[in-house]
Structures are given as structure tokens and as C-alpha cells.
Amino acid sequence: DSGVTQTPKHLITATGQRVTLRCSPRSGDLSVYWYQQSLDQGLQFLIQYYNGEERAKGNILERFSAQQFPDLHSELNLSSLELGDSALYFCASSLQGSQETQYFGPGTRLLVL
Amino acid sequence: GQNIDQPTEMTATEGAIVQINCTYQTSGFNGLFWYQQHAGEAPTFLSYNVLDGLEEKGRFSSFLSRSKGYSYLLLKELQMKDSASYLCCGTDSNYQLIWGAGTKLIIKP
């Protein structure tokens, strides 16, 4: 158990819909990272937040947005969903920044029908 | 551009030794991570190298050569449970993360 929690574990929705994925980092960790992993593909870095502020941006679509709240939990919002958005979405956290070990949550498996 | 390259797939035999290579091209360099990921599960941390040399941790060792932009993960006494993907991840001068596509390691009895 990494100490990072993600909800929900599974999500099934339809094209065009909007969903919100939630992540609670390990106690004391200030950075949160979001990743997308499609079937048999590598990890695609989406975005990083540090203590409530956006720190780094990867290959995140404009239809996707995220935020980190004062209690340090984070949400990833996916809108106008397409079939290709079906993937495993991981959240990870680290104490400070990206030069430190990341601890990954169990992931949210999203299926868009 | 910034890039991390690692082999797509490797096969090895139970009890043997395997070396998974990773080469990187980044603007500046601030360390390299190796993570293990079993199918359908979250990645877990294996090692972090920021200085040249070999870091040994039980059956797993990781090596870094900054001048060559090269790292490898060495797995000894392979066990069936080592069948997984191994992800190489570098950090550039701005501490941006650059992930490789992962190497799928298949262990055969």
C-alpha cells in the first residue's frame, strides 16, 4: 500500500460525458502527478501540482483539467469524453518535487462506451 | 529533443541474470529512476541514480553513466514474479520528468 488513494476504482461512461477522478496523496506529500496509461502503452505524464499550484504540464488535452485543493487532494476532470480516452489513470505523489520518489495510487480504470 | 529509449520487450530464464538498458537525451540531467510495473497495477519505485556508478539493492542493481547518457537495471537470480514492465524515467535540468515507454520482461521457467 503506497498511501496514495484514488477514487473511483472503475468508471464506465458514454462518449461526450464528463467525469471527475479524485486523488489523495500520501500524508505529508506536497506534489501530485497525473498520468494516463492506455492498454499496453507507456505512462503519459499529464500534469503536476505542487502545494496547490501547477508545476509542470505534459501531454494534457484541453478537454482535461486538474486542480489541487488546500488539503492537497487533487481532482482530474475529463470532459467531452471520446472512446480513445479509455485508459488507466494514475495519480502519484512525492514529498516535494520530481527529483524525488513518486508513490503511485492504484489507478482509476475508465471505460468510455 | 528530449528522449528516453529502452527495449520494448526482453525474455529471460528463471534463475538467470538480465540487463535492461536505457539511454536518454535530455536538456541537462538531474537523476534517473527505475520503476517496476506489473500488468494492471501501479508502478513501484526500484532505484534512483544521480551520480555515476552502480547502486546495489538486493537482487536488483542500477547503473548510471552521465557522460554516456546511459543507465541499466540488472536483475539477478530471476524469479517468475519479476515478469513485469520496467520503466526508465529521467529528470532534466528543470526537473521535468521524461518517461521511457517501458520494457516488458518475460521470464520463462
Side-chain angles (χ1 to χ4, degrees), chain B residues 5-63:
Chain B
D5 287 314
Q6 50 182 132
T8 305
E9 187 174 297
M10 296 181 72
T11 302
T13 304
E14 190 177 15
I17 298 173
V18 71
Q19 178 175 311
I20 302 174
N21 297 326
C22 170
T23 57
Y24 63 87
Q25 290 178 312
T26 61
S27 54
F29 177 78
N30 273 308
L32 191 133
F33 292 90
W34 283 97
Y35 286 81
Q36 180 191 58
Q37 186 181 24
H38 286 100
E41 298 182 11
T44 55
F45 169 78
L46 288 177
S47 68
Y48 176 58
N49 294 70
V50 65
L51 300 175
D52 285 359
L54 187 68
E55 298 259 351
E56 296 186 74
K57 202 184 287 186
R59 294 189 299 115
F60 292 9
S61 303
S62 57
F63 172 82

Side-chain angles (χ1 to χ4, degrees), chain A residues 36 46 60-66 77-79 81 85 89:
Chain A
Q36 179 193 55
L46 297 179
I60 188 165
L61 299 172
E62 284 192 16
R63 299 184 286 108
F64 296 0
S65 65
N77 300 297
L78 315 176
S79 61
L81 284 166
D85 297 328
Y89 291 84

